Amino acid sequence: MSANAFISNEQLAGLVAAVVASGTRVIAPVTADDGTATYSPINSLAEATLNGALPNPSLKAHFLPPTETLMSWRQHGSDIEIGSPPDSFAPQLVLGARPCDAAAMDIVDSVMNWDYKDELWNARRDATTVISLACPGIDDSCFCTAVGLGPDSSRGADVLLVAVDDGYLAEFATERGAAFLADNAQFFSAAADTAVAQADESRAAARSAVEANLNVDTKRIEQWVGDHFDDEFWLTLGPRCNGCGACAFVCPTCHCFDIADEQSGVGTGVRRRSWDTCQSNVFTVHASGHNPRGDQNARYRQRINHKFYIYPSKFGDVLCTGCGRCIRACPAGQDLVEILQTIDGKAANEQEGVA
Amino acid sequence: MTELQDLAHKLLDEGTVQVVIGWEDSRRGARPVTITDAEDASRLIFDSRCVHNLATYLNPRRSQVRALGKPAVVVKGCDTKAVAALLRESQFERDEVVLIGVRCGGVVKDPTSDGVLTEETTAPRCVACDVREPRLADYIVGEAQPEPPQNTSLDDMVAKLDAMTPDERLEFWTAQMEKCTRCYACRQACAICTCDRCVVDKTVPQWIERAPHARGNFSWHLIRALHHAGRCVECGECERACPAGIPLMLLNRKVQQIVAESFDFTATDDLDAVQPIGDFLADDHEDFIV
Amino acid sequence: MGREMSEPTTDFEPRITAFVCNWCTYTGADLAGTSRMHMASNVRIIRLPCTGRIDALFVIKALEHGADGIIVSGCHPADCHYTAGNYHARRRFIVFRELMNFMGINPDRITFSWVSAGEGGKWRDVVNETVTRVRALGPFDAYHELAERPSPGSAVEIGVPIPEVPEPSRSTASEDASSPSAAGEDASPAPTSAGGES
């Protein structure tokens, strides 16, 4: 899609002010004093740091929060009153989403609308307009291009901005995005050819920078992982792993949750769902005590399996956007770039008939 | 090959151990490695980026490491204190593990960095280290190292919190507890979190709320710090593992300070030391009891 | 000093949970009762075999559920029915009291005491002093309400309030004693009726 709209820094500030004034929440990356960033509500563009530190938690936390209440109850006598969460949320705007984070939401939409339509996820998705900002690449743990995305991907975004001198080029990626641009046309102007050329160049540069980190064939990885469930390779990954949830919880595509009831008083309580991880040793424990994934070798294999074989074979997408957060977060040094490279190498050797 | 690599090669080759747990270099710095093949012994390294407490790999809940066979583990002096705690608690027998002590001159907090030791980059655990040459070891390798720069930021922050009012401290910790998503990286990285079934995983009854709201998180971190009174060796791995950047070592430092002041006990590699909780003295102080 | 109950100066009446050992303090509290001693009625006692059974989790659970203050009490050192339970407890109390203080739980909300089976008067004093002290500190909703706070960088609307107690219909017999609500939630109970608990 060719970008043909331009918004200056001042106009963007004006757009944010107008959206905020209309009562719509605006969420953007905000960098704290210690250098860490979160996607947080802002009242003005000045509060945001676009393309600063990679926010943590990822954008997922705005659609599937670390914990949320599914229902509440009060029992009195033989009656029970039930409280329910809203079935729709007020419209909100995300400004400056990383393309890896925006794409992740789109990828997870598949499982959230599979055998059960997740009302809360969908209601939050329906309420949210996402404006992504093309990214220059962060460091050598980024690999979005290797999983079919890219630092300038518009997947999962309604509008994609690309930074140029004094402002941004804007292109819409969805009908909602087109409507957003139309509704706010007063803040946009036509893009100069020089700006378009600058944007194309920066996008290409970002893509090559990320491509240099990892270049694999996810289809043959899917094939190899599916065919090698019992391979010795998995025994080399489990020992180092602590079995914590750091990788799953920072991941924008991991979506497993556990449901637990909490009693808040006598006869009153809430049911919550909270983030869970297949790396936990009790994730697959049965009531009998048997655990089909009884050690970290099996559990770590599951992580790779789910993301690179099971999910793509079910839904057509790798359950990974190459953001690299898992690599940076892992205290034990597990490296998904290295793991994918190794598997791809094995898969290539098999393809070529080498042992 | 270095002294460490030669030793590892020999131990594996002769079948004295089936796995050597040490550090290797990687695309992103130093990281733990389990070497089962003598030919891979040349991957082993030791430098100031080797902050990881490898005693955690002896933790019996790591069944996939146990399955590799009798281990030799490369340990810094501070790590041997964790090994000692595990031995005192009968998690394994002394002759079931070979300890390769390594002479250490301090480590940096971030194993992916260049390893240059300054007052800011050095791990707080290196302050006043008394085991730069490990004592609890079957072998000791490496050159003697100079004293590292002292990073007193942890003690400074504890003192700063101590000087606040309870309400100010509650505000501080509430902000920290809001960040926790209950990934349990702190627990999983810890060498002395050995419980088969952690108290937070027990659901009948549910003592600690599982939901990662600030209240559940408060309870979780309070109890975890308490369960480590007199057991924590202050390696800092919990804080390093935390993906939310919560300063967990403030809690552990405070608890060990309380234990030191009240029970005259600090983390030690002495296998005959008696751990303070589980023990008592008739004249333990009770100035707060009416 | 402790013999007198203080007059409340506000409408706030603190809720105190007491964890006491069966052999000494519980018996002492019973003695205070049978001796008709006047004491504040804000305390709910939980009886345990020994202070050695007390886990910090008990105190935390009470705070999570809205307790404003805590009393922990048992046999004097050397008098423990199980010989050394209170010595172990004392060690644990030392650590968790200071750690809780470090995390911001005001130590003035928690009273630790040794009250023997014959010290009914001391139990009365402990209760009255604790209630006076905690009343002055005000409610400790801060801990209970920590559950309402969303985590930074995530969705803001994450809670569902507990449904209110519905208006009772006066014509039916289904006006059972309603469950007391937790602190912070709706606090207007339905009128009680005769008839058993449900």
Side-chain angles (χ1 to χ4, degrees):
Chain A
M1 222 167 279
S2 66
N4 54 10
F6 170 80
I7 181 166
S8 70
N9 291 323
E10 292 77 30
Q11 292 286 58
L12 184 59
L15 171 58
V16 169
V19 173
V20 168
S22 74
T24 299
R25 181 186 302 141
V26 177
I27 296 163
V30 173
T31 302
D33 293 333
D34 62 3
T36 60
T38 52
Y39 286 110
S40 296
I42 57 168
N43 289 315
S44 72
L45 184 61
E47 293 171 28
T49 310
L50 300 180
N51 270 348
L54 184 63
N56 202 17
S58 67
L59 194 57
K60 149 178 106 172
H62 281 277
F63 300 93
L64 180 68
T67 185
E68 68 181 327
T69 310
L70 299 180
M71 68 182 227
S72 63
W73 64 84
R74 175 189 291 282
Q75 178 194 357
H76 58 99
S78 50
D79 295 326
I80 299 183
E81 307 292 324
I82 305 277
S84 300
D87 47 25
S88 67
F89 292 93
Q92 60 183 17
L93 173 69
V94 173
L95 172 65
R98 265 351 221 257
C100 46
D101 283 346
M105 303 302 100
D106 199 59
I107 290 170
V108 174
D109 276 342
S110 305
V111 71
M112 292 295 189
N113 286 285
W114 177 42
D115 54 351
Y116 181 82
K117 310 252 177 285
D118 195 297
E119 299 96 336
L120 285 165
W121 172 273
N122 287 334
R124 291 203 167 97
R125 291 283 282 141
D126 288 340
T128 312
T129 304
V130 177
I131 301 181
S132 280
L133 174 58
C135 164
I138 295 173
D139 61 17
D140 58 5
S141 292
C142 286
F143 57 99
C144 50
T145 52
V147 290
L149 298 164
D152 61 336
S153 166
S154 58
R155 175 130 190 225
D158 297 299
V159 173
L160 174 69
L161 298 181
V162 184
V164 292
D165 289 337
D166 300 321
Y168 303 88
L169 289 203
E171 65 184 49
F172 63 87
T174 62
E175 275 178 29
R176 188 207 285 253
F180 179 83
L181 291 179
D183 288 344
N184 293 287
Q186 69 270 35
F187 296 100
F188 295 85
S189 52
D193 288 340
T194 47
V196 173
Q198 187 189 13
D200 285 344
E201 203 185 301
S202 70
R203 290 168 79 156
R207 277 198 294 268
S208 353
V210 174
E211 271 161 18
N213 293 335
L214 182 65
N215 205 337
V216 292
D217 180 342
T218 51
K219 276 280 159 229
R220 73 180 171 203
I221 287 178
E222 183 185 331
Q223 178 84 35
W224 191 93
V225 172
D227 290 342
H228 290 83
F229 191 74
D230 291 311
D231 197 278
E232 276 180 0
F233 174 63
W234 306 118
L235 304 181
T236 66
L237 299 179
R240 180 184 297 116
C241 175
N242 284 335
C244 68
C247 54
F249 284 26
V250 298
C251 174
T253 58
C254 277
H255 51 266
C256 285
F257 55 86
D258 193 18
I259 298 179
D261 291 345
E262 276 174 13
Q263 192 180 23
S264 64
V266 177
T268 60
V270 293
R271 171 164 298 167
R272 298 179 188 272
R273 69 168 167 191
S274 308
W275 286 358
D276 202 354
T277 167
C278 57
Q279 300 309 292
S280 159
N281 64 326
V282 292
F283 190 73
T284 48
V285 145
H286 294 178
S288 64
H290 170 63
N291 190 348
R293 292 190 207 131
D295 67 20
Q296 211 56 43
N297 294 332
R299 292 189 282 267
Y300 202 80
R301 172 179 62 192
Q302 160 62 13
R303 183 171 172 73
I304 308 296
N305 230 307
H306 188 205
K307 287 183 170 296
F308 296 97
Y309 164 57
I310 297 172
Y311 204 90
S313 59
K314 268 193 158 58
F315 301 113
D317 281 315
V318 156
L319 188 62
C320 172
T321 58
C323 73
R325 284 183 178 91
C326 57
I327 300 170
R328 298 181 200 103
C330 179
Q334 296 284 50
D335 185 346
L336 193 51
V337 161
E338 181 191 57
I339 290 168
L340 291 174
Q341 216 149 37
T342 307
I343 295 176
D344 194 50
K346 290 176 186 290
N349 286 342
E350 261 184 25
Q351 273 182 348
E352 287 153 32
V354 175
Chain B
M1 292 243 280
T2 65
E3 202 186 344
L4 170 62
Q5 292 164 352
D6 278 335
L7 176 58
H9 188 278
K10 177 159 117 49
L11 291 170
L12 286 167
D13 209 31
E14 292 171 358
T16 316
V17 301
Q18 280 79 54
V19 58
V20 175
I21 305 167
W23 294 275
E24 65 173 355
D25 211 348
S26 76
R27 190 178 72 88
R28 295 185 78 247
R31 70 174 178 190
V33 66
T34 48
I35 307 267
T36 48
D37 186 339
E39 297 319 304
D40 290 331
S42 53
R43 283 161 66 179
L44 291 168
I45 60 162
F46 180 70
D47 58 46
S48 60
R49 299 169 304 158
C50 296
V51 61
H52 319 67
N53 181 352
L54 297 182
T56 194
Y57 290 95
L58 300 176
N59 192 321
R61 69 172 151 72
R62 292 180 187 260
S63 51
Q64 72 282 358
V65 177
R66 289 235 140 158
L68 296 174
K70 179 169 177 179
V73 60
V74 187
V75 282
K76 311 187 285 291
C78 44
D79 304 336
T80 62
K81 295 181 182 177
V83 177
L86 292 170
L87 284 167
R88 288 193 292 262
E89 295 176 359
S90 307
Q91 294 298 327
F92 46 83
E93 299 299 320
R94 177 67 183 90
D95 58 9
E96 288 174 346
V97 56
V98 171
L99 299 174
I100 304 177
V102 63
R103 294 184 180 88
C104 176
V107 287
V108 292
K109 286 183 290 199
D110 180 3
T112 66
S113 70
D114 57 14
V116 170
L117 292 159
T118 68
E119 269 175 32
E120 281 76 42
T121 61
T122 306
R125 71 161 97 165
C126 296
V127 170
C129 172
D130 58 348
V131 281
R132 297 215 310 282
E133 165 134 346
R135 294 179 289 251
L136 177 63
D138 296 299
Y139 305 88
I140 303 181
V141 299
E143 304 285 303
Q145 305 279 337
E147 205 195 8
Q150 303 284 287
N151 180 348
T152 58
S153 58
L154 184 57
D155 279 326
D156 293 343
M157 189 60 196
V158 170
K160 202 164 143 197
L161 281 165
D162 277 338
M164 294 181 188
T165 65
D167 281 345
E168 285 169 340
R169 284 195 288 270
L170 185 61
E171 199 186 311
F172 174 85
W173 285 111
T174 299
Q176 297 301 330
M177 293 297 105
E178 283 172 357
K179 287 154 63 175
C180 176
T181 52
R182 221 68 88 75
C183 67
Y184 300 115
C186 48
R187 174 186 76 181
Q188 297 299 117
C190 179
I192 51 138
C193 265
T194 48
C195 290
D196 271 340
R197 197 69 183 278
C198 178
V199 65
V200 75
D201 288 336
K202 293 186 182 172
T203 54
V204 186
Q206 188 79 57
W207 275 112
I208 299 177
E209 292 176 309
R210 285 196 72 86
H213 43 59
R215 187 175 74 201
N217 297 339
F218 223 98
S219 305
W220 161 245
H221 287 289
L222 220 156
I223 288 302
R224 202 182 89 88
L226 281 174
H227 283 187
H228 289 192
R231 304 173 64 236
C232 170
V233 301
E234 300 190 61
C235 65
E237 287 289 86
C238 49
E239 185 173 303
R240 190 176 68 81
C242 177
I246 299 168
L248 296 168
M249 279 312 295
L250 290 172
L251 294 174
N252 292 315
R253 180 86 276 266
K254 181 64 188 175
V255 171
Q256 305 330 313
Q257 266 179 9
I258 297 166
V259 165
E261 279 161 20
S262 297
F263 314 131
D264 200 26
F265 179 93
T266 47
T268 172
D269 55 2
D270 177 0
L271 292 178
D272 296 322
V274 176
Q275 297 190 170
I277 301 296
D279 191 25
F280 63 85
L281 289 172
D283 60 357
D284 278 334
H285 77 85
E286 51 177 56
D287 47 7
F288 59 96
I289 305 182
V290 306
Chain C
M1 178 195 37
R3 286 179 163 264
E4 303 297 318
M5 289 189 292
S6 57
E7 286 301 314
T9 52
T10 68
D11 290 332
F12 163 62
E13 273 309 315
R15 302 197 304 169
I16 313 284
T17 308
F19 300 98
V20 306
C21 86
N22 171 66
W23 302 100
C24 284
T25 303
Y26 191 79
T27 308
D30 193 51
L31 178 61
T34 53
S35 308
R36 303 279 183 266
M37 294 186 186
H38 282 210
M39 68 181 96
S41 56
N42 308 54
V43 177
R44 296 290 179 272
I45 292 178
I46 295 178
R47 180 173 66 126
L48 300 152
C50 176
T51 47
R53 174 67 182 97
I54 294 173
D55 194 318
L57 276 167
F58 299 177
V59 174
I60 289 171
K61 254 303 162 247
L63 293 174
E64 281 178 2
H65 281 269
D68 303 300
I70 308 278
I71 297 172
V72 173
S73 184
C75 303
H76 290 260
D79 292 346
C80 176
H81 183 84
Y82 303 101
T83 316
N86 55 355
Y87 287 123
H88 288 290
R90 182 170 61 183
R91 275 230 161 169
R92 273 185 244 132
F93 297 164
I94 288 170
V95 182
F96 81 64
R97 174 180 176 272
E98 283 205 50
L99 181 63
M100 285 188 182
N101 182 15
F102 186 69
M103 288 195 84
I105 297 168
N106 193 329
D108 289 342
R109 291 191 181 273
I110 308 180
T111 302
F112 294 88
S113 62
W114 303 135
V115 173
S116 77
E119 289 181 308
K122 185 171 182 190
W123 177 248
R124 172 208 46 218
D125 294 346
V126 165
V127 166
N128 287 342
E129 278 163 19
T130 304
V131 171
T132 307
R133 198 181 340 115
V134 175
R135 191 187 284 127
L137 287 172
F140 197 30
D141 293 332
Y143 199 92
H144 173 76
E145 284 169 2
L146 287 172
E148 318 293 322
R149 308 177 78 111
S151 59
S154 85
V156 173
E157 301 94 354
I158 54 161
V160 176
I162 305 285
E164 312 239 320
V165 178
E167 281 299 307
S169 87
R170 303 206 170 273
S171 61
T172 70
S174 63
E175 297 163 58
D176 293 316
S178 112
S179 324
S181 58
E185 266 116 27
D186 174 63
S188 57
T192 59
S193 73
E197 316 236 291
S198 46

